[in-house]
Amino acid sequence: MQLSGCKMSEDNMDMNKSLVTVETDPEAETPKPARKKPNRKSYSTVWNYFTKQMGADGKEKACCNLCNREYLVSPVFGTTNLHRHIEHHHIPKGRNVGPIMVARAVPVQPANVAPNPKPFKYDDAAFKDNLTRAIVQHEYKYELLEEDGMKKILATICPDLKFLDTGTVKSDVVKLYEKERKKVLLLFEKLARRVSLSIDLWTNVKTEEYICVTAHYIDRDWKLQKRILNFKYIPSPHDGTSLTGFISSLFKSWRVENKLFCITVDDALSDDTLVDIYKAQLNGKKALLLQGKFFSCKCCARVINLIVHEALKNIDLIVYKIRECVKYVKGSPDRKKKFLDCAKKYNIDMDLGLRQDIPTKWRTTYLMIESILPYKDAFNDLQNRDASFTDCLDSNEWQFIEKMYKFLKIIYDATCTFSTATYPTANLCFQAICKIQYVLKEESRGMDEIIQSVAAKMLSIFDSYWREFSTILSVAVVLDPRYKLDLVDYAFEKIQKEEKEFYVNMVRQSLYGIFNEYKANLASSSKSKDKERKPEGKSELDRYLEEPKSDWDKPLEVLEWWKENQPRFPELAKMARDILAIPICPADPESAFSIGGKVLDQYRGSLKPDELEALICTKDWLFPSEGSDGKGEDIGLKVELN
């Protein structure tokens, strides 16, 4: 059996050899190559973040779409390393991404990154709209896109960009103006309250004159609003009759003639003929309250500017020397070092610094005077050490400017109370003006002859304006629940003691006269409701005055108070809404401290009248928070000493 088994084994070996021989027979037919499997679709979610591409070494790589890192693509490795890369580098820590990474139907969303960004598509309409708004907002030159540098930048970003010529850009700005004007016009058509207007005069470098008309009102949310309605070139002649027709046509175009409460006119346009003619026209249409008794009003800030200008004229030489002192110290490092040595000798705080003023901005002049007074001894010592320093004040000048500083500080602080307020309502003006009038009267009767002379001149200018608008501003402060009639009584006790009763009674009569007219107008517009009402024993005004006052020493937003109490005093609230909107300071806060005229800058002055109006009005309507002139606040140059 064993021999037989061995023999069979040998036979099998012979058969295997025969098979091997057949497989390696060179004359046998060459087998066809194995068929290549077709590329299968990659279902793994990891391919949402990786792209397959050939590497420099000729091998297929997976490139991360988020960081461009490459990994070798191989069936041996699979996609585990790719998942690990996404999890470690592009997923916020602490997030459980296991189930998300495994689920094919739910792709992983890296933090703030779109895995499959859409290809960029140039939108011509969106580009033109954004460009137009940017030019209006930032006042870029119309020729911006025609400059070579800008063309190169934009061509790099978008080669398909269609460049616009200057004429097209100007036309787009005007179209945007027309579009926004319709919205503002609709706003005033629906406005169910009165509007106060301010008229300012501007000039350009060619001394051509423009008129700026601004509407002031309080909206339904009890927020003080303003809109520039027109910025027009004034054609000749500039007499009162011609200006009246010109201004009247502007108001008619906005359909506000029957909604006017008062108008504040620039001093340069304060021709009595202008106001009287226009008031007569409106009275003929029965469009004014109390036959226009309070139709004309003066801007408080402008009145203050006039009296400050009178004060600065009397210290002009001293202010010049102070200005030269500041210039001298900042003129070179050596001078500043000498001055620092002098200041250290007297232990003066170096952090205070000095300020150099802008002559047409009296606020900056005041701050310059304020900054130099602590360094009085240092400047006197510098004069003894440095023979080239010749503009130092003498002892009498130092003494005089210290007195004038205290005088100007009261005016400065009073102006800041309404010029820096978020909502400068009319009630803020009365108290500030009374403080100024009281100080002027006291100083005009003082012992210092020079101060007395200056104060007397300032008081004369002040009184000529105060008589015209003291009554309506007194009414405005009565509508402040912290003061009511008590502040009026106290103020006239201080500033008009001999005629106190006359002035207080005049304010009370005007207050009730305006209220009764509002009450009558409101009753005539809702007769059906009035029939159902029961007669009241006391009016809303009586109840308001009899109620306890709010705490005068606590901050209070007057408009918020009226918003909350409007349901209790609907008639009185309607009156308060219109009176508190009277413009007491310019739209631009810095104009409240300017003793110079309003002058257009070189760029604005170079524009045609229709282009200028489109630019200024549209900017005010679309970007009101940036101010009417977009130049911001300027309080002079501070000279650091450290």
Side-chain angles (χ1 to χ4, degrees), residues 137 139 202 358 361 363-364 587-593 601 604 619 624-636:
Q137 181 180 7
E139 297 193 23
W202 288 74
I358 302 171
K361 303 274 189 179
R363 178 186 188 183
T364 64
D588 172 24
E590 275 303 296
S591 295
F593 299 94
D601 58 35
R604 287 182 171 184
K619 180 175 183 178
S625 62
E626 299 187 13
S628 60
D629 63 355
K631 305 306 177 196
E633 184 177 291
D634 193 345
I635 57 173

Side-chain angles (χ1 to χ4, degrees), residues 475 485 503-513 541 545:
V475 171
L485 279 168
Y503 282 106
V504 172
N505 287 333
M506 183 172 62
V507 172
R508 181 180 286 272
Q509 291 174 7
S510 299
L511 175 67
Y512 275 88
L541 180 56
L545 294 175

